[in-house]
Amino acid sequence: MGNYIPGTPKEQLEMLKAAGYQSFDELYRDVPESVRLKELPEFPEGISELEVQRKMEKIAAKNRVFGTVLRGAGSYRHYIPSIVTEVTGKEEFRTAYTPYQAEISQGVLQSIFEYQTDIAELTGMDVSNASVYDGATAAAEGADMCREKKRTKTLVSATVDPKILSVVSTYAFGRNAEVVIVPEKDGKTDREALRGLLDEETACVLLQQPNYYGIIEDAEGIIADAHEAKAKVVMSVNPVSLAILKTPGELGADVAVGEGQPLGLPMAFGGPYIGFMATTEKMIRKLPGRIVGETNDVDGKRGYVLTLQAREQHIRREKAGSNICSNEALCAMTVAVYLAAMGPEGLKDVARQCVSKAHYLAKLLGEAGLKPAYDCEFFHEFVTEAPSEEKAEEILKALEKKDILGGLPLGNGLILWCATEVVTKEELEETAETVKEVLG
Amino acid sequence: MKLVFERSVPGRNTAYLPKLDVPEITLNAELREKKLNLPELPEVEVDRHYTELSKQTRGVNGGIYPLGSCTMKYNPAVNEKTAALPGFTDVHPLQPVETVQGALEVFRETERLLTKITGMDAFSLQPAAGAHGEFTGLLLIKAYHLSRGDQARTKIIVPDSAHGTNPASAAMAGFEVVNIASDDHGYVDLDALRAAVGPDTAGLMLTNPNTVGLFDPHILEITGIVHEAGGLCYYDGANLNAVMGIARPGDMGFDVMHINLHKTFSTPHGGGGPGSGPCGCKAFLADFLPGLRVKEADGTGLVEGKAASTIGNMRSFAGNFSVIVKALTYIYVLGKEGIPATAKNAVLNANYMMEQLKDLYPMAFEGPCMHEFVMTLEKMKEETHVSALDIAKALLDYGIHPPTMYFPLIVHEALMVEPTETESKETLDEAVQVLRQIYADALAAPEAMHEKPLTTPVRRLDEVGAARNPVVRYRFAD
C-alpha cells in the first residue's frame, strides 16, 4: 500500500517507453526465469503511515522505561541537553553520505575534525580517527593496530568488560591470533600474573579504566610492565571519567579506545553507539577508518578533506589494515555537540556528580546490608555482595516494583551498580530503603 | 569558517545540571593534570555554529544524490518518529527480558521479514555496517569449514569489480584473496572462475546485480561451480535495491549475505553512519551466527539466546537498534507490493536516465541496466583532457551531487549513476539536462573544466598536501 515512489503508474509506463521498453519484465530479462519470484512469500501487505505509527507505538509500549536506572555495564543513562538532538536532527547532517565530495561536505568534514580534536584532548593522545562502530570494536581494532609479524598475541585483563573480551576474541579468530586472559586479583588486574604472561609474542595488553567493576586500575604500573616487555598497551576508557582521571596520554598508553555513548547518546537498547580511537603521532598510519585533515583550496581558503586514505580498503583492498567503511559519523557529531554544549567545566561536573552519587549509593547500600565486594577505589560503578544469589534476585525484583532498574546481577549474589548525574538523592535513598526491607 | 574552538571564550558554557545533592567525593587516584580543552560557548553559539555547518552539508533532502552503489534514496520522516519513541530510546540493553519484549519483537520481526525478502533462513542483526556484515559472513564460512575438519579452505575468490571492502573483509577473516578478472560484459568470467576454484576454496564473494549495474545472467552456473568445488557463496547485498521482491539471493545459490539497511531499507546515512549490516545465512550456517538470537518461549513471550556454535560477538549488545527500528518501519509500510515496486522503479529510473544520456556519454556496458549504470569518460579524457573528476566537480556548480567516481576499478574514468526510485521524472530530466549541458561545456572550453567548481563554499582542495603533512586536529596554545 505505502511506498515512496513519486511516479503514477501512467508516468511509469511513459518512462518505460521512453527508455525503450514495453514492460518491467523486459528490464529484468537477465534474471533467470527459475529464480524469478511471483510474490514475496508469507509477507504482510503494506500499510499507511498512520497504521505503522500505531503499530510501532504498540511494540514500543512492550518495553519498560524505568524511572530510575542504576545499571551501567557498558551503557549509561546520562543527561542529554536538548540542543544535542536538535542539532543532530538537522536533515543535512542526518541524510548526507560519507563526505567524498569535499566541496559540498565541509559541514560534516569540519564537524569530524572538531570531533577528532575533542577525542585527542579528552584522551590526551596525539590523534583520533573519525570513529568506529562501538567501544568493543574499537578495542578489537586497537588490538589489530598493535599486531606485528612476530607479535600477534593479545593479553586481555580479566577485569575488562566481558562483552569487549568477546568481540576482541571474535576478531582474533579472524586473524588467527591468540587472546590470553590475564587473571584478576581482588577486582584488579593481577600484575604479577601479567608479568608472567608477557612474552616475545605479545603484541599488546588490553586494559580497561575504570575496569568492568568500576574500579580504578593501577594503569601506570600495567603500562610499565607491558612496555618493559616491548608490548604495546590499548587502554579502554570511559570518556566521562577522563574529565578527572589521568588520561591514557599522560599514562603513556599507545592506543586509547572507548565507548562514546555516555557523551550524548541514548541507551537505545544498545545502539547505535560510537567507538572512539586515539593514538600517538607515531602510529597514525595504523589507525583504521576515516580521518579528516585540514588543507587549503585552490584559492588558499582553509578546508577539510578525508585524508591518509592510502590506509583504507577502497585503495588497499586486501592489504588494508581494516575493512571499515561506514562508521558512526552522526554519533561522532552527537559527541562533539554534547561536548561543545557541556564544555570542560560541564563535563567535569558530570564526572564529579557521578563519582559522588555512586559513592553515596555505595555508602547507603552498605548501611542497608549490601557490602562492597572489593575494597578498591572506584569511579561511578561498584560491586556489592548479597548474602546469596536468591537475595540478590529478590532485591532487584523489589526495586523493579518501585520503578527502579537496579544494578546488573553478575551471579553468586554479586551486583554491579552504577549511579550517574541523573539520579537524585531521593532515588538513591529509596533504593537503599528497599534493599534494607529485603535484607530485613 | 571558524572552528568551534576558535569561537570559544573561557567560562561561557551554558549550565545544564542541577547542583550536586549528595556529599561531594574527591578521588585519591591519580588525577588528570593536563588541561581539558573543550569548546566554551553559550548554547546560542553552539546552535549557530552547527547551523552554519549544516548549510555547508549536502543531504538527500537537498536534491538528487545519484551516488552509485550507495542507494541514496529519500529517508521517510515517519522512520525518525518511530525510532524516537521513548520506549525504544530509553531502554537499557541489559534490562530483564520481560521488560524488553518490544525490543525483542523488533529483532524477531525484522529477522523474519529479511529472511522472506532474501530467501535466507536466519539473520543476525548485530553487524553495525555493510563491511561489518561481510566480516561476519566470512567468519561464518570459516567456522563452517573448520567445524567439518576442513582446514585447507583458506582462499576467498573476489572478482576485480568488487567493492574494496570485500577483499579487506576476507583478509580480516584470515583468508587469502584470489582476484579474478571480469569478462568483456562485466560479468564473472566463468573460465577464470573454474580455473580458480579447488580444494582450497573457502568461498566466493559476489555482488549481484554487480558493480557495473548488471544482473549476471550466469548466476546459477557461478554458484554451481563454487558449490561443486566445496566452497560457499557470499552475496554482497549492496545492490539488493534493484532486485528485492523480484529475485532472492537464497534462490540464486547464495549461502550467506549481508544487507545494508542504510541503503536498501531507507535509513539515513548520517554523513557516514550509523548504518546496519545484518548478516543472513542458510540454515546449515545458522548455528554459527553471532550475537542475540531471539527465541519464542512457551507462555512467557520472547527470550534471549545465542546460537549453539556461535562465532561470538561482532560488537557489544544486539545491534544498531534505532537503525533497525527505522528499517522495520519502512518494510511494514512497503509490504509485499511496495518492495518489488520499489525495486522496479529504481531500475526504471536508472534505465530512463541511461537512455537519455547514452548518445553523449559512452556507457561502459549496454543496457538494460539494473538500478545503476556506469559511464566512461575515457575518450573525453584522451581527446580533451577533461576527466570524470572534472565532470563531477562541474555538477557541484549546478547543485547536483555527483555520481560515484572512479569505481568500479575495471572501468576507466568511471562515473557510476544510481538515481534511486524516489526521484521523480522531472528531477531526472533536470539532472539529464545538466549533464548534457556540462558535456557541451566540456567540448567548448575544456580548460575551464579543471577550474570547477566555482560556487561552492570551498573550491578544489589540496588532498595531496593534506596527506603529506597531516593536520588532523586543532592545536591549542596550552
Side-chain angles (χ1 to χ4, degrees):
Chain A
M1 139 143 214
N3 66 50
Y4 301 96
I5 299 159
T8 62
K10 187 169 161 274
E11 282 173 325
Q12 292 174 25
L13 209 62
E14 284 166 16
M15 287 169 73
L16 258 175
K17 291 202 169 129
Y21 303 96
Q22 297 304 312
S23 69
F24 279 109
D25 271 358
E26 267 184 64
L27 293 176
Y28 285 105
R29 69 184 183 201
D30 285 340
V31 179
E33 203 59 49
S34 65
V35 303
R36 295 255 192 121
L37 213 53
K38 272 214 182 72
E39 62 166 21
L40 283 168
E42 303 159 77
F43 214 84
E45 306 273 327
I47 54 178
S48 66
E49 175 166 330
L50 175 57
E51 288 165 300
V52 84
Q53 175 77 25
R54 281 190 195 133
K55 195 175 173 85
M56 297 309 281
E57 275 169 6
K58 259 192 194 158
I59 298 176
K62 293 180 194 169
N63 289 332
R64 181 160 167 203
V65 175
F66 283 93
T68 306
V69 173
L70 298 173
R71 191 166 290 192
S75 176
Y76 303 91
R77 187 194 265 176
H78 285 284
Y79 185 67
I80 303 172
S82 314
I83 183 75
V84 176
T85 30
E86 190 67 23
V87 165
T88 55
K90 286 182 193 295
E91 65 88 7
E92 296 89 347
F93 296 144
R94 193 165 51 76
T95 69
Y97 198 71
T98 303
Y100 292 137
Q101 296 291 341
E103 296 87 344
I104 52 166
S105 308
Q106 286 301 298
V108 167
L109 286 161
Q110 183 174 325
S111 86
I112 297 172
F113 183 84
E114 292 172 355
Y115 161 85
Q116 288 172 184
T117 306
D118 287 335
I119 294 301
E121 283 295 324
L122 258 183
T123 57
M125 304 297 287
D126 298 328
V127 293
S128 153
N129 70 4
S131 78
V132 294
Y133 311 130
D134 75 346
T137 60
E141 294 272 10
D144 266 1
M145 280 173 70
C146 298
R147 291 205 177 97
E148 292 163 20
K149 260 204 175 110
K150 287 184 179 162
R151 287 180 177 267
T152 58
K153 197 196 299 180
T154 305
L155 301 188
V156 181
S157 168
T159 65
V160 166
D161 181 338
K163 294 184 291 297
I164 298 177
L165 168 64
S166 174
V167 175
V168 170
S169 303
T170 310
Y171 272 55
F173 166 58
R175 297 281 188 196
N176 300 316
E178 199 183 350
V179 173
V180 177
I181 315 270
V182 181
E184 64 179 82
K185 198 177 166 191
D186 306 325
K188 286 188 184 184
T189 308
D190 182 345
R191 279 186 61 194
E192 210 180 303
L194 169 66
R195 284 191 288 266
L197 287 167
L198 281 159
D199 61 16
E200 286 177 352
E201 287 168 13
T202 307
C204 74
V205 176
L206 174 62
L207 147 83
Q208 181 174 326
Q209 180 82 314
N211 72 22
Y212 185 56
Y213 310 122
I215 294 169
I216 300 170
E217 291 265 0
D218 174 14
E220 203 156 15
I222 294 167
I223 291 171
D225 293 340
H227 283 172
E228 199 175 313
K230 296 200 166 51
K232 294 196 165 68
V233 174
V234 178
M235 198 168 159
S236 175
V237 284
N238 179 315
V240 173
S241 78
L242 295 178
I244 53 176
L245 290 183
K246 200 159 231 188
T247 62
E250 290 167 289
L251 290 161
D254 301 280
V255 184
V257 299
E259 176 53 71
Q261 180 269 336
L263 305 177
L265 289 156
M267 299 183 291
F269 196 65
Y273 290 177
I274 172 178
F276 60 84
M277 297 188 76
T279 189
T280 56
E281 203 80 67
K282 216 169 115 191
M283 286 179 76
I284 184 170
R285 283 184 161 78
K286 298 235 171 196
L287 256 186
R290 315 285 188 205
I291 298 175
V292 171
E294 185 184 298
T295 187
N296 291 308
D297 77 355
V298 288
D299 300 327
K301 194 172 170 188
R302 182 171 72 178
Y304 303 89
V305 291
L306 293 173
T307 194
L308 300 173
Q309 296 193 64
R311 299 164 296 116
E312 292 188 72
Q313 46 78 26
H314 58 286
I315 311 274
R316 286 187 48 98
R317 299 178 76 87
E318 61 266 32
K319 293 190 184 71
S322 167
N323 68 343
I324 189 165
C325 184
S326 286
N327 53 29
E328 306 291 303
L330 195 62
C331 304
M333 181 179 285
T334 308
V335 165
V337 180
Y338 174 85
L339 291 173
M342 298 305 286
E345 294 313 314
L347 191 69
K348 280 181 213 167
D349 193 29
V350 174
R352 189 176 56 109
Q353 295 217 19
C354 285
V355 169
S356 301
K357 295 198 176 190
H359 282 74
Y360 188 63
L361 175 63
K363 176 176 160 278
L364 295 183
L365 289 178
E367 287 163 5
L370 264 186
K371 297 292 173 214
Y374 305 109
D375 180 25
C376 298
E377 190 157 44
F378 60 91
F379 181 66
H380 70 339
E381 291 181 273
F382 58 93
V383 180
T384 59
E385 201 169 5
S388 66
E389 180 64 14
E390 290 71 34
K391 278 287 171 205
E393 278 171 26
E394 218 180 299
I395 287 169
L396 294 173
K397 281 276 167 224
L399 288 171
E400 264 184 56
K401 284 197 186 118
K402 299 201 170 159
D403 203 20
I404 299 169
L405 178 66
L408 182 73
L410 299 180
N412 298 322
L414 299 176
I415 299 175
L416 173 60
W417 300 86
C418 174
T420 67
E421 79 282 5
V422 295
V423 293
T424 62
K425 186 167 180 256
E426 290 71 35
E427 291 172 297
L428 297 175
E429 284 166 356
E430 192 189 358
T431 302
E433 270 313 306
T434 311
V435 169
K436 206 170 178 179
E437 281 162 26
V438 174
L439 294 179
Chain B
M1 76 174 264
K2 278 186 176 177
L3 285 166
V4 70
F5 311 105
E6 293 163 344
R7 288 174 175 254
S8 189
V9 177
R12 279 209 175 160
N13 287 107
T14 303
Y16 293 95
L17 300 181
K19 281 210 169 75
L20 183 61
D21 57 358
V22 300
E24 182 169 350
I25 296 287
T26 317
L27 294 173
N28 299 314
E30 291 203 61
L31 301 180
R32 179 178 184 120
E33 285 163 28
K34 193 178 186 304
K35 187 181 171 208
L36 180 58
N37 286 308
L38 291 174
E40 298 186 76
L41 310 172
E43 183 170 302
V44 58
E45 289 294 318
V46 175
D47 200 331
R48 286 188 184 151
H49 177 70
Y50 282 99
T51 298
E52 220 175 302
L53 288 183
S54 76
K55 288 180 188 159
Q56 300 192 13
T57 303
R58 182 59 182 262
V60 171
N61 294 32
I64 186 171
Y65 219 114
L67 202 52
S69 204
C70 301
T71 314
M72 293 296 282
K73 60 172 74 178
Y74 172 69
N75 311 129
V78 67
N79 298 355
E80 300 304 314
K81 209 169 156 191
T82 56
L85 290 166
F88 290 140
T89 59
D90 207 12
V91 177
H92 194 285
L94 300 173
Q95 283 186 197
V97 67
E98 66 276 11
T99 67
V100 292
Q101 289 293 302
L104 299 187
E105 188 173 330
V106 167
F107 276 85
R108 192 194 51 169
E109 272 293 275
T110 308
E111 176 175 4
R112 184 176 71 83
L113 296 171
L114 291 181
T115 59
K116 303 296 175 202
I117 293 170
T118 58
M120 295 288 150
D121 295 313
F123 267 89
S124 165
L125 307 186
Q126 194 174 42
H132 207 208
E134 289 176 22
F135 181 32
T136 307
L138 290 161
L139 290 181
L140 298 187
I141 292 177
K142 183 172 185 168
Y144 167 75
H145 289 310
L146 290 177
S147 76
R148 301 168 71 244
D150 193 347
Q151 304 197 342
R153 297 194 177 271
T154 55
K155 292 181 181 169
I156 289 285
I157 301 169
V158 179
D160 57 4
S161 61
H163 298 111
T165 49
N166 288 182
S169 300
M172 264 180 104
F175 291 111
E176 195 183 314
V177 175
V178 180
N179 290 293
I180 57 164
S182 306
D183 71 12
D184 295 343
H185 305 284
Y187 301 142
V188 171
D189 185 324
L190 294 179
D191 290 332
L193 179 62
R194 281 194 199 96
V197 296
D200 58 358
T201 302
L204 165 78
M205 294 184 88
L206 196 66
T207 312
N208 192 34
N210 63 22
T211 60
V212 300
L214 300 176
F215 191 97
D216 201 315
H218 313 116
I219 190 61
L220 294 170
E221 267 176 279
I222 294 167
T223 53
I225 291 169
V226 177
H227 284 155
E228 189 75 17
L232 300 185
C233 297
Y234 183 92
Y235 182 89
D236 179 333
N239 294 344
L240 188 65
N241 203 46
V243 293
M244 61 172 178
I246 307 289
R248 310 191 301 175
D251 300 332
M252 299 175 204
F254 288 97
D255 307 291
V256 52
M257 68 175 293
H258 81 268
I259 292 175
N260 301 79
L261 295 185
H262 50 287
K263 294 181 180 177
T264 317
F265 296 100
S266 85
T267 73
H269 288 60
S276 176
C279 176
C281 64
K282 287 293 176 75
F284 73 97
L285 292 171
D287 272 352
F288 301 110
L289 282 173
L292 171 72
R293 308 295 299 136
V294 177
K295 291 167 191 168
E296 200 106 25
D298 293 340
T300 54
L302 302 171
V303 293
E304 295 167 312
K306 57 182 184 179
S309 311
T310 179
I311 54 168
N313 284 286
M314 300 305 296
R315 48 160 296 168
S316 292
F317 307 119
N320 274 354
F321 180 65
S322 304
V323 179
I324 295 164
V325 171
K326 292 177 196 183
L328 180 60
T329 306
Y330 179 73
I331 295 172
Y332 276 147
V333 168
L334 258 52
K336 75 186 326 177
E337 322 81 6
I339 285 176
T342 293
K344 286 176 187 171
N345 280 276
V347 171
L348 171 61
N349 280 0
N351 278 285
Y352 179 78
M353 263 189 100
M354 185 183 187
E355 176 64 25
Q356 304 198 38
L357 288 169
K358 73 180 184 191
D359 62 316
L360 280 188
Y361 288 87
M363 296 296 156
F365 302 96
E366 269 177 45
C369 64
M370 290 283 105
H371 62 303
E372 64 194 4
F373 58 92
V374 182
M375 313 190 289
T376 167
L377 277 293
E378 200 174 5
K379 196 161 152 264
M380 161 96 73
K381 175 88 189 284
E382 259 169 40
E383 289 170 3
T384 65
H385 299 291
V386 173
S387 64
L389 179 79
D390 293 330
I391 301 283
K393 295 300 178 195
L395 276 166
L396 297 174
D397 281 332
Y398 288 93
I400 291 183
H401 195 289
T404 295
M405 312 179 297
Y406 299 99
F407 185 82
L409 305 178
I410 57 170
V411 177
H412 296 290
E413 295 296 323
L415 284 179
M416 184 195 222
V417 184
E418 181 183 8
T420 84
E421 75 282 0
T422 57
E423 298 305 330
S424 69
K425 179 173 175 293
E426 292 73 26
T427 307
L428 300 179
D429 287 341
E430 262 176 59
V432 164
Q433 214 43 54
V434 168
L435 276 161
R436 296 185 70 92
Q437 180 64 48
I438 290 172
Y439 197 91
D441 292 348
L443 290 185
E447 282 306 312
M449 298 300 284
H450 308 314
E451 303 299 317
K452 310 277 183 189
L454 301 171
T455 58
T456 44
V458 294
R459 295 183 53 220
R460 283 195 206 188
L461 292 146
D462 179 8
E463 294 188 10
V464 175
R468 193 170 295 148
N469 300 303
V471 177
V472 300
R473 61 175 290 189
Y474 178 75
R475 291 279 176 190
F476 295 87
D478 46 351

